[in-house]
């Protein structure tokens, strides 16, 4: 129309053409405005999600939108996400028919513990003509807390009791020693310990019967979390401390399901948190609340203070699972004497992390001499981590080196292995 209005100075009749085109355009626009801004247009929307968000997991958020009019609308839905998620391009494009209610969903992955504030739900609607958009703002401000991963806790609880933590299932280890927790008398099958034959039951039933024992209960399990600067290294959006916190919650839940007593210790240059090992009904909630408030500390860890605490506070032989990290030989040599003392008093399992970035760097193809130097150094430091593992094992201390994303599986498998072997 603008171009034709300019050309009408050369040929006057073009003015009537422009006028006709303007009328043809204005009528649909007015019609579209009348439809979109009609007083009877009503759309309602609600947001639903879990009561608490799970750290490091994909959490589902559901949006339910209801159309109470006889017109169908195209929707552009913009949910105001929490600032901590740093997502600036979120939108959903959908079509909502007349007199229908539809449910849409998306996922968010929080990488920090704390509170997340959602804003309003903004919906841009347009009719089938698509000439005009109308903005509807539905008030839906709310705040939700992000706790250690409850999703992982439930998932690994199911897998642990179904013996499917490993891809091929958990192999049943030969049990060493004896347990005094009697479970039942059963018929002898090949592989049962013949020393467990119950001769009185065998004489009555005229077939071999054996006494079966279950894992001992009420054993003390302490998860010890190092909160020093060694645990600040990020991986896939989470720090190593966050991975340890998620694993502690999952392992505590499984240990409580096994009727063991579970406690928690977190430390850096000082003792930050302490929960005595018990198996009360609300013990898991107490641990979860304490884990929720844990924060990183940029100081060095005081292992001597940890030893003094364990010596005078932890009564009776217990399983200590220590989550920490070593990046240098000096670091492992500095704490090894303390670890040996702890292992004399209790059964100690040291869990530290494999540097995935170094492993990836050592596997990159090389094109120049500089790349060879980088690959050689990365390979050296990566292999040095496994030397740390051997140094710890030679003193009779159990140790696990694991990638961060496999920490929960490996820690739970180690706990189940220790229970199966009856080492505590």
């Amino acid at each position: 129309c603008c171009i034709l209005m300019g050309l009408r100075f050369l040929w006057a009749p073009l003015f009537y053409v422009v006028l006709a085109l303007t009328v043809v355009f204005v009528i649909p626009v007015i019609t579209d405005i009348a439809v979109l801004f009609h007083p009877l247009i009503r759309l309602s929307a609600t947001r639903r999600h879990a009561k608490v968000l799970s750290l490091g997991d994909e959490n589902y958020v559901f949006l339910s939108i209801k159309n109470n009019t006889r017109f169908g609308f195209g929707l552009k839905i913009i949910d105001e996400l929490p600032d901590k998620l740093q997502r600036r391009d979120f939108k959903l494009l959908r079509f909502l028919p007349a007199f229908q209610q539809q449910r849409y969903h998306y996922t968010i992955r929080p990488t920090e513990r704390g509170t997340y504030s959602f804003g309003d739900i903004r919906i841009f609607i347009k009719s089938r003509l698509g000439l005009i958009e109308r903005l509807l703002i539905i008030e839906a401000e709310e705040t939700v807390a992000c706790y250690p991963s409850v999703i992982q806790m439930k998932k690994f609880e199911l897998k642990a009791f179904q013996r499917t933590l490993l891809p091929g299932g958990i192999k049943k280890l030969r049990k060493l020693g004896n347990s005094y927790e009697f479970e039942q008398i059963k018929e002898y099958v090949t592989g049962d310990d013949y020393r467990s034959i119950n001769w009185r039951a065998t004489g009555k039933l005229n077939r071999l019967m054996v006494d079966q024992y279950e894992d001992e209960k009420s054993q003390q399990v302490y998860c010890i979390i190092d909160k020093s600067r060694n645990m600040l290294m990020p991986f896939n959006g989470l720090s190593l401390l966050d991975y340890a916190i998620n694993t502690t919650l999952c392992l505590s839940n499984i240990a409580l399901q096994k009727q063991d007593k579970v406690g928690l210790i977190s430390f850096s240059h000082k003792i930050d948190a302490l929960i005595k090992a018990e198996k009360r009904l609300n013990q898991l909630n107490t641990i979860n609340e304490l884990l929720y408030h844990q924060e990183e500390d940029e100081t060095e860890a005081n292992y001597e203070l940890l030893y003094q605490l364990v010596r005078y506070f932890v009564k009776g032989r217990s399983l200590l699972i220590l989550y920490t990290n070593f990046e240098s030989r000096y670091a492992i040599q500095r704490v090894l004497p303390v670890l040996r003392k702890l292992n004399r008093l209790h059964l100690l399992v040291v869990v530290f992390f494999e540097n995935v970035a170094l492993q990836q760097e050592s596997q990159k193809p090389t094109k120049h001499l500089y790349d060879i130097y980088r690959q050689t150094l990365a390979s050296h430091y990566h292999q040095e981590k496994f030397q740390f593992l051997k140094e710890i094992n030679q003193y009779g201390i159990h140790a696990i080196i694991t990638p961060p994303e496999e920490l929960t599986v490996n820690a739970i498998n180690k706990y189940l292995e220790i229970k199966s072997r009856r080492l505590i």
Side-chain angles (χ1 to χ4, degrees):
C1 288
C2 293
I3 293 174
L4 292 178
M5 281 295 289
L7 294 177
R8 82 173 181 85
F9 290 100
L10 301 178
W11 190 44
L14 284 177
F15 173 77
Y16 300 102
V17 177
V18 173
L19 188 61
L21 291 176
T22 303
V23 172
V24 170
F25 173 72
V26 167
I27 291 176
V29 170
I30 295 175
T31 304
D32 210 6
I33 293 175
V35 171
L36 291 180
F37 290 88
H38 194 280
L40 296 179
I41 297 295
R42 293 290 185 272
L43 266 71
S44 59
T46 56
R47 181 197 302 118
R48 290 185 56 206
H49 48 71
K51 292 183 179 179
V52 295
L53 301 179
S54 293
L55 179 66
D57 289 323
E58 295 293 339
N59 295 260
Y60 281 90
V61 179
F62 298 92
L63 295 176
S64 180
I65 301 178
K66 185 176 182 180
N67 184 3
N68 297 316
T69 63
R70 57 188 181 91
F71 300 105
F73 296 107
L75 307 179
K76 181 168 69 173
I77 308 167
I78 300 178
D79 195 1
E80 294 182 349
L81 301 179
D83 295 337
K84 291 182 179 180
L85 297 177
Q86 292 298 306
R87 290 179 62 176
R88 308 298 183 189
D89 57 348
F90 173 81
K91 63 180 179 181
L92 297 175
L93 301 178
R94 300 290 187 269
F95 181 80
L96 183 59
F99 298 111
Q100 286 197 17
Q101 180 177 0
Q102 293 190 359
R103 194 183 191 193
Y104 314 110
H105 74 272
Y106 61 91
T107 59
I108 58 175
R109 183 176 182 268
T111 56
E112 298 179 22
R113 281 168 286 116
T115 57
Y116 285 71
S117 298
F118 287 86
D120 297 328
I121 302 174
R122 297 176 177 267
I123 304 176
F124 293 87
I125 63 172
K126 60 182 179 180
S127 66
R128 295 184 183 273
L129 291 176
L131 299 176
I132 301 295
E133 278 189 343
R134 178 186 176 184
L135 171 61
L136 298 176
I137 301 178
I138 290 92
E139 294 183 359
E141 294 184 358
E142 61 178 334
T143 301
V144 60
C146 178
Y147 275 74
S149 179
V150 179
I151 295 177
Q152 289 187 30
M153 182 189 72
K154 295 179 179 178
K155 179 179 70 174
F156 285 110
E157 176 187 352
L158 180 63
K159 288 186 176 182
F161 287 95
Q162 289 184 345
R163 295 183 175 269
T164 58
L165 274 175
L166 294 178
I170 299 177
K171 296 181 179 179
K172 187 175 182 180
L173 301 175
R174 182 174 65 90
K175 295 184 177 181
L176 304 179
N178 293 315
S179 173
Y180 297 99
E181 296 288 340
F182 177 78
E183 183 178 9
Q184 64 176 348
I185 299 175
K186 71 179 188 70
E187 189 172 355
Y188 176 87
V189 295
T190 304
D192 285 338
D193 189 354
Y194 61 86
R195 292 173 297 181
S196 299
I197 295 177
N198 188 317
W199 294 108
R200 180 174 296 180
T202 299
K204 289 182 178 180
L205 300 177
N206 200 24
R207 60 179 184 271
L208 285 177
M209 305 295 291
V210 295
D211 294 331
Q212 185 176 11
Y213 299 90
E214 61 181 354
D215 292 336
E216 294 185 7
K217 301 177 181 179
S218 298
Q219 296 173 316
Q220 295 188 139
V221 179
Y222 278 91
C223 294
I224 306 175
I225 302 177
D226 179 359
K227 294 172 45 179
S228 65
R229 63 183 183 180
N230 296 329
M231 301 289 282
L232 299 182
M233 184 181 298
F235 178 79
N236 197 19
L238 299 178
S239 66
L240 298 183
L241 176 61
D242 289 327
Y243 282 102
I245 285 175
N246 280 346
T247 301
T248 297
L249 181 63
C250 296
L251 184 59
S252 299
N253 179 50
I254 291 176
L256 289 171
Q257 296 287 340
K258 292 281 188 179
Q259 302 299 316
D260 283 337
K261 300 178 181 178
V262 180
L264 174 66
I265 301 173
S266 67
F267 74 103
S268 52
H269 67 285
K270 60 184 179 64
I271 303 300
D272 295 310
L274 180 61
I275 297 179
K276 185 178 180 181
E278 295 179 349
K279 55 178 181 179
R280 296 178 288 111
L281 293 177
N282 64 338
Q283 183 75 351
L284 188 63
N285 291 333
T286 304
I287 292 175
N288 194 18
E289 284 292 337
L290 191 60
L291 291 174
Y292 171 72
H293 293 95
Q294 297 302 299
E295 297 180 357
E296 296 88 349
D297 196 333
E298 297 183 358
T299 59
E300 287 286 346
N302 190 339
Y303 279 85
E304 289 76 14
L305 181 61
L306 173 66
Y307 171 72
Q308 294 297 329
L309 173 73
V310 172
R311 181 173 181 179
Y312 293 104
F313 179 77
V314 181
K315 305 298 183 181
R317 182 173 172 82
S318 306
L319 171 62
L320 307 180
I321 303 178
L322 171 63
Y323 300 96
T324 184
N325 195 37
F326 305 112
E327 289 296 336
S328 66
R329 185 169 296 278
Y330 168 76
I332 185 71
Q333 290 176 347
R334 184 175 67 87
V335 304
L336 194 55
V338 180
L339 299 182
R340 293 174 62 185
K341 291 180 181 179
L342 288 173
N343 196 55
R344 293 194 197 105
L345 300 175
H346 307 279
L347 178 61
L348 177 63
V349 177
V350 179
V351 182
F352 60 103
F353 296 89
E354 181 180 352
N355 196 321
V356 180
L358 287 178
Q359 181 185 15
Q360 295 173 350
E361 187 69 30
S362 65
Q363 296 175 350
K364 287 183 178 180
T366 58
K367 297 182 179 179
H368 307 287
L369 183 61
Y370 176 74
D371 297 333
I372 297 177
Y373 291 151
R374 287 176 59 88
Q375 187 185 64
T376 302
L377 285 174
S379 179
H380 168 72
Y381 286 115
H382 182 253
Q383 292 299 323
E384 191 176 40
K385 283 264 188 173
F386 292 90
Q387 293 297 325
F388 299 162
L389 180 67
K390 293 181 179 179
E391 291 183 20
I392 296 175
N393 287 335
Q394 72 180 2
Y395 292 106
I397 303 173
H398 294 264
I400 303 173
I401 181 171
T402 175
E405 71 274 12
E406 299 177 9
L407 171 63
T408 304
V409 173
N410 292 333
I412 293 176
N413 276 327
K414 188 66 177 179
Y415 165 74
L416 295 178
E417 175 190 345
I418 289 174
K419 290 287 291 182
S420 177
R421 295 175 61 185
R422 297 170 184 161
L423 297 181
I424 56 174

